[in-house]
Amino acid sequence: MTGRAPLRQAEAGIIIATLAVLVLAADQFTKYLAIENLPPEEPVHVIGDFLIFYLIRNPGAAFSMGEGVTWIFTIALAVVAAIIVWLAATRVRSRLWAVALGLLLGGVLGNLTDRMFREPGFPVGHVVDFINTPWMMPAIYNVADIFIVSMMIAVALLVLAGPHLDGTRPRKQAEAEATPAAEDAD
């Protein structure tokens, strides 16, 4: 990694906001296209059994679990979005963290938008899902889900081995703290 200085607060916020808006727009646009062009609950084989479009309205979470408590997912998505916005405003100075959190926020906002504004209505709207890759997993999902899952993996990797939210690196911080102690011993 380069020895670039951490981002300023405004820079991190701009990265996060820009990426979130782009993912939200891509998610909502692809859902619009799916609703307008796909027959409900009928498979459309795009690439054989590798990629199938299958339009459904999902009241639950992954694998349609929790269909009776949709409002809980709305609250959970809103809390996650609020935490990311708070982190963006107060803590994030790392480029990697800004990118990961921006893409994650976009995915969260994509599904939150469905929960708030789609039928049957606020706060229990059904999420539009239409992507099916049966070779990979037995689920139907959307663009927002792709970003949520992949960025949660990225966040886990950043927590384990990446820079801190403030842009410092664990090794460099440990070396910086050890250097003054070694100089004092001289």
Side-chain angles (χ1 to χ4, degrees):
M1 259 347 238
T2 63
R4 289 196 255 177
L7 295 171
R8 292 186 311 234
Q9 184 174 348
E11 292 172 323
I14 289 169
I15 291 170
I16 292 169
T18 301
L19 292 174
V21 167
L22 289 173
V23 170
L24 173 61
D27 175 66
Q28 291 299 305
F29 183 65
T30 57
K31 288 174 180 174
Y32 166 79
L33 291 175
I35 291 167
E36 292 296 315
N37 297 298
L38 295 175
E41 299 184 18
E42 289 182 31
V44 175
H45 294 264
V46 179
I47 306 174
D49 285 338
F50 185 82
L51 175 62
I52 302 167
F53 287 162
Y54 190 88
L55 178 63
I56 61 167
R57 312 254 179 165
N58 184 357
F63 307 103
S64 296
M65 294 187 306
E67 292 180 8
V69 290
T70 300
W71 60 274
I72 290 176
F73 303 123
T74 304
I75 292 170
L77 289 168
V79 167
V80 170
I83 290 169
I84 293 172
V85 169
W86 177 77
L87 287 171
T90 63
R91 305 257 194 245
V92 178
R93 302 294 177 272
S94 161
R95 285 166 185 79
L96 289 174
W97 274 101
V99 169
L101 291 176
L103 296 174
L104 176 61
L105 179 59
V108 167
L109 292 176
N111 284 344
L112 182 59
T113 298
D114 286 3
R115 296 281 181 211
M116 293 175 58
F117 299 112
R118 295 205 188 269
E119 294 296 325
F122 179 84
V124 293
H126 296 177
V127 172
V128 174
D129 288 331
F130 63 95
I131 303 169
N132 183 13
T133 49
W135 57 272
M136 185 169 59
M137 72 175 96
I140 301 171
Y141 51 94
N142 58 49
V143 171
D145 295 334
I146 293 168
F147 282 98
I148 290 170
V149 171
S150 59
M151 289 306 106
M152 287 305 298
I153 293 168
V155 165
L157 292 172
L158 286 171
V159 166
L160 293 173
H164 296 294
L165 283 169
D166 65 4
T168 61
R169 293 226 165 244
R171 281 190 318 245
K172 289 183 181 177
Q173 185 177 5
E175 289 171 8
E177 291 170 359
T179 301
E183 290 172 2
D184 290 340
D186 290 336

